[in-house]
Amino acid sequence: MNNITKFEDITNSLISRRSLIKKGFAFGGLALMSSTLGSITAYSSQSFFNFTKVDCNNNDTITLPEQYNWSVVSKWGDPMWSDVEEFNQTSCGSHESQLKSVGDNNDGMELFITSDNKTLLAVNNEYTNHKIIFSNRKSLLPENKEDILKGMYAHGVSIFEIENSNNQWNLVKDSKYNRRITPFTKMEITGPAKGHSLMKTKEDKDGIYAKGTWNNCGSGKTPWGTYLTCEENFNKYFSSSDKNFKSTNELNRYGIRTREIGLNWAKADSRFDLSKEVNEPNKVGYVVEIDPLNPNSTPKKHTALGRFKHENAELVISKDGKIVVYMGDDERGEYLYKYVSNESINEVKDKSTLLSNGNLYVAKFNDNFTGEWLLLDTQTTGLSSKAEVCIFTRLAASKVGATTMDRPEWIASNPKKNEVCCCLTNNKNRGIKTNKGGDKVDVDKVNPRKNNKYGQIVRWKPRDNNHSSVYFEWDLFVVAGNPNVHDDNNRGSKNIDKENMFNSPDGLKFDKYGRLWIQTDGNYSNSGDFKGMGNNQMLIADTNTGKIKRFMVGPKECEVTGLTFAPDYKTVFVGIQHPGERLGGNFPDNGNNKPRSCIIAIQKKDGSQVLT
Ligand code: FEO
Ligand code: CA
Ligand code: CA
Ligand code: CA
């Protein structure tokens, strides 16, 4: 049976719901009419889109509307202290220099202002491009312990001060705030899994500490001024020296394999060897809180927020003062989660305890555009303790009938409206193959295409405008597609045209005015299904009208990921990850230089706010 949902069905049902709203019907107990129309009045499309559209292209540079310029703020391998050598184009640095330099593959980032009025960036360093960082080795892989350590130190988080002089933002070497966090940094474990036997290792007999963080993808920021870094594809770094090591369901569900992929972390540190330390994987896959203002602080791994391939952590305060964290598990056919604190923000003195004591839920999207957050506890999942729910969250989620999703990437909550959006980036297995837990991935209304090549953005409205409610209403804000190539359901939803098309939405953030910034991590071949789409890009959307307009095109072979704003909104900082990853480009230094992931600052030429 062909059960692919036609776009027209989706769009028509959305239109009929909208017309109901216009006629004055509130649905599902939501007084949507007033909030939606109120936002339209307050934010005209003019203020959302006061720039010239950028066309798709394949250039090895940044393309912006003519009113804007850009400059590089920091690059992989930039020294953070003055006693470190500058990035060496031949060796790509040593383990010693990498430990004191900006990490590789910058991803999520947030900006902080210190009490002495300094500006800090905290930025994730997700992984390494081994063909580049080990380009000094014939194998293009680490060949000795120092090489392995160099690769390890390129992971984690970089926190550094930046300053603006003559409209040029630069990294401040030797700032007292500069800090590198690596796979070796000591961390405290909080929440239900703290002290559980599954967390105990030779180095941590009580199960209360973790060593380091790696594969840090998206970010988040708390209202109390700390940074959240999210551990994503943490599985790839483990292996087993004992070929007879017997894997488990739990290891399989998280994609933890016995075979070494070549980064050889287990050779530098035996805790990555499953046959020597089977519990080490249980200590990673969490959201980690870091206080960037206190460089000596111990980061906290918050197990209460669950263990999965975390994309980002979008934190909001609910109407009743609870901390709500929306989180995606970025793997084909995995789930979308939220955490709700037990206490409200005014009830506790140490705010970070709000992230260690609460409930975890997983989303169910019904085909009638309603939805429900399903509680994950021992009763609903059959797992024997709350600690196990937090450690084996994927297995818990499989028990309750949640909706398998098309790879949930970033989640963003609109500060101006009762609205949360999530990028579902793509899913070649939709309608074809179960997830690793054997859960069904049938085509449904929220994941409406078999073999989903282009992705979509789902949006939900918590009931009663309360993020801690277990009910919501949802729709698809946009379904990406290519109207150049397709006129069926792969052309995209009605708000996609030849002028604004894109594929694989990934990074997502609302600015303080309620504009939605969309960053892509898609196919940049510019051919076949992706003909005319060019390099990865960044667009701006008005969720009141559905309109989407392209603001930026990135350089060749990059992904655009990570976004934060200067407090005066005169600069937007954007992450350019893995430019030239297939060695087909060398942004940003060009010439014969190595391509390097970097953070750029975008400003308006007239010095006004980035969008006015
Ligand atoms: Fe690191 Fe799902 O992106
Ligand atoms: Ca991503
Ligand atoms: Ca992605
Ligand atoms: Ca990436």
Side-chain angles (χ1 to χ4, degrees):
M1 190 181 76
N2 180 359
N3 58 352
I4 294 176
T5 307
K6 288 274 183 289
F7 278 122
E8 297 310 307
D9 295 344
I10 297 169
T11 318
N12 289 340
S13 64
L14 296 182
I15 289 167
S16 61
R17 286 165 73 225
R18 287 203 185 97
S19 62
L20 278 178
I21 297 164
K22 280 209 181 98
K23 283 177 196 153
F25 289 90
F27 64 94
L30 277 173
L32 269 182
M33 188 175 81
S34 55
S35 65
T36 308
L37 297 182
S39 301
I40 290 169
T41 316
Y43 301 96
S44 70
S45 56
Q46 177 68 16
S47 67
F48 273 67
F49 297 114
N50 195 14
F51 61 91
T52 315
K53 174 202 60 131
V54 169
D55 290 328
C56 289
N57 68 60
N58 258 150
N59 302 334
D60 199 23
T61 188
I62 302 287
T63 313
L64 288 166
E66 57 193 8
Q67 304 94 327
Y68 295 82
N69 54 29
W70 63 277
S71 62
V72 174
V73 182
S74 67
K75 294 180 275 204
W76 159 50
D78 277 352
M80 290 166 56
W81 287 272
S82 52
D83 61 352
V84 186
E85 59 182 306
E86 290 293 327
F87 182 78
N88 183 309
Q89 289 286 340
T90 310
S91 67
C92 294
S94 64
H95 67 293
E96 285 142 334
S97 65
Q98 183 61 76
L99 183 58
K100 291 183 154 194
S101 301
V102 176
D104 200 358
N105 274 294
N106 47 270
D107 204 314
M109 63 177 153
E110 308 287 343
L111 184 144
F112 298 86
I113 303 293
T114 67
S115 55
D116 52 348
N117 212 26
K118 309 288 188 197
T119 306
L120 309 183
L121 282 180
V123 57
N124 292 341
N125 300 114
E126 192 180 28
Y127 66 104
T128 54
N129 301 94
H130 60 87
K131 285 186 186 134
I132 299 169
I133 191 171
F134 302 119
S135 55
N136 58 333
R137 301 294 181 216
K138 213 169 164 193
S139 62
L140 303 178
L141 284 168
E143 293 186 354
N144 55 42
K145 186 167 176 188
E146 286 71 30
D147 285 353
I148 300 170
L149 288 175
K150 177 170 90 166
M152 293 177 89
Y153 294 153
H155 287 70
V157 178
S158 302
I159 299 167
F160 49 84
E161 183 182 335
I162 54 171
E163 71 180 355
N164 185 355
S165 93
N166 299 323
N167 290 325
Q168 167 67 47
W169 287 93
N170 286 312
L171 187 156
V172 179
K173 282 183 192 172
D174 305 317
S175 163
K176 66 177 181 185
Y177 296 103
N178 288 1
R179 182 177 188 186
R180 277 304 321 278
I181 286 167
T182 72
F184 296 98
T185 306
K186 187 178 182 181
M187 312 202 158
E188 184 189 325
I189 291 169
T190 83
K194 181 176 182 173
H196 191 274
S197 57
L198 285 163
M199 302 296 268
K200 294 179 183 171
T201 59
K202 289 187 194 85
E203 283 188 53
D204 172 33
K205 295 200 166 33
D206 299 321
I208 56 174
Y209 289 105
K211 205 174 189 183
T213 184
W214 56 92
N215 211 285
N216 304 76
C217 183
S219 58
K221 193 176 179 179
T222 67
W224 52 95
T226 55
Y227 182 67
L228 300 177
T229 178
C230 305
E231 298 173 337
E232 193 188 21
N233 293 300
F234 60 87
N235 55 311
K236 298 189 293 189
Y237 304 86
F238 293 96
S239 60
S240 170
S241 59
D242 176 0
K243 294 302 156 219
N244 297 318
F245 176 82
K246 230 175 133 29
S247 205
T248 61
N249 270 347
E250 287 79 11
L251 290 169
N252 289 336
R253 181 63 186 273
Y254 286 91
I256 296 160
R257 306 247 178 270
T258 53
R259 192 177 59 86
E260 173 58 57
I261 63 165
L263 298 176
N264 280 323
W265 286 21
K267 286 203 173 131
D269 190 335
S270 62
R271 68 196 159 106
F272 293 97
D273 185 337
L274 297 167
S275 58
K276 294 185 178 144
E277 199 61 276
V278 73
N279 282 344
E280 183 67 17
N282 299 335
K283 295 161 93 89
V284 63
Y286 296 103
V287 174
V288 181
E289 182 183 12
I290 301 169
D291 182 357
L293 274 55
N294 293 304
N296 297 319
S297 57
T298 305
K300 291 174 179 163
K301 285 210 181 191
H302 290 304
T303 65
L305 278 63
R307 176 168 166 267
F308 43 90
K309 295 190 178 180
H310 278 280
E311 183 68 22
N312 81 326
E314 178 70 339
L315 194 150
V316 291
I317 303 173
S318 71
K319 232 173 164 180
D320 46 359
K322 304 283 172 68
I323 293 299
V324 175
V325 190
Y326 291 106
M327 303 170 286
D329 182 354
D330 179 11
E331 185 138 25
R332 296 179 193 109
E334 288 296 342
Y335 297 104
L336 206 154
Y337 297 86
K338 84 167 173 180
Y339 166 86
V340 182
S341 66
N342 285 342
E343 291 161 307
S344 64
I345 189 155
N346 295 324
E347 276 178 304
V348 297
K349 207 164 153 225
D350 176 1
K351 304 298 182 201
S352 90
T353 62
L354 291 164
L355 299 179
S356 56
N357 182 15
N359 284 311
L360 204 51
Y361 299 83
V362 61
K364 181 174 190 208
F365 291 81
N366 300 314
D367 276 356
N368 66 359
F369 302 100
T370 64
E372 198 178 333
W373 292 101
L374 308 173
L375 179 65
L376 297 176
D377 65 8
T378 51
Q379 267 190 336
T380 59
T381 67
L383 270 66
S384 59
S385 64
K386 193 152 182 185
E388 283 176 58
V389 170
C390 294
I391 297 169
F392 300 130
T393 309
R394 282 185 168 180
L395 288 91
S398 288
K399 301 279 190 191
V400 297
T403 305
T404 59
M405 306 297 284
D406 284 349
R407 295 186 54 199
E409 299 251 24
W410 288 62
I411 302 175
S413 173
N414 190 338
K416 292 289 182 188
K417 229 170 123 181
N418 181 38
E419 167 179 86
V420 188
C421 295
C422 176
C423 289
L424 302 170
T425 196
N426 57 56
N427 184 359
K428 67 180 181 187
N429 292 347
R430 175 61 58 185
I432 296 168
K433 201 172 148 191
T434 65
N435 71 9
K436 286 200 185 83
D439 302 330
K440 282 195 289 192
V441 291
D442 294 345
V443 166
D444 56 23
K445 288 270 167 82
V446 68
N447 304 285
R449 284 179 294 195
K450 190 174 175 179
N451 179 19
N452 177 12
K453 293 184 176 92
Y454 299 107
Q456 64 268 18
I457 297 177
V458 61
R459 153 170 79 172
W460 63 91
K461 299 170 195 297
R463 180 172 287 183
D464 300 328
N465 203 357
N466 190 357
H467 290 280
S468 58
S469 169
V470 295
Y471 299 107
F472 60 90
E473 310 272 329
W474 67 270
D475 66 8
L476 292 178
F477 171 66
V478 61
V479 183
N482 191 336
N484 270 345
V485 180
H486 300 287
D487 57 10
D488 59 2
N489 62 10
N490 277 323
R491 81 155 300 286
S493 51
K494 284 183 175 163
N495 50 349
I496 290 294
D497 56 41
K498 290 180 183 179
E499 302 301 311
N500 70 4
M501 61 183 185
F502 61 92
N503 76 87
S504 299
D506 184 333
L508 196 69
K509 211 174 225 186
F510 281 100
D511 65 23
K512 68 176 181 182
Y513 301 105
R515 287 180 290 246
L516 183 62
W517 297 64
I518 304 167
Q519 303 177 316
T520 72
D521 171 24
N523 185 305
Y524 45 70
S525 65
N526 209 20
S527 63
D529 284 322
F530 307 97
K531 192 172 179 205
M533 289 185 159
N535 297 341
N536 277 304
Q537 51 178 288
M538 184 164 73
L539 310 100
I540 295 172
D542 180 349
T543 62
N544 299 308
T545 61
K547 195 177 163 193
I548 300 170
K549 192 169 165 181
R550 189 178 303 105
F551 180 76
M552 191 193 94
V553 175
K556 280 182 191 294
E557 302 177 359
C558 83
E559 161 186 350
V560 183
T561 184
L563 178 76
T564 191
F565 300 88
D568 63 7
Y569 265 68
K570 290 181 178 174
T571 306
V572 51
F573 298 95
V574 176
I576 303 297
Q577 196 190 47
H578 63 70
E581 65 172 348
R582 295 181 181 172
L583 311 181
N586 43 17
F587 183 83
D589 296 331
N590 307 114
N592 291 321
N593 293 307
K594 293 271 164 36
R596 286 157 79 187
S597 292
C598 56
I599 297 170
I600 62 165
I602 296 173
Q603 294 173 315
K604 216 164 171 192
K605 288 176 184 165
D606 67 7
S608 59
Q609 289 200 3
V610 277
L611 280 168
T612 43

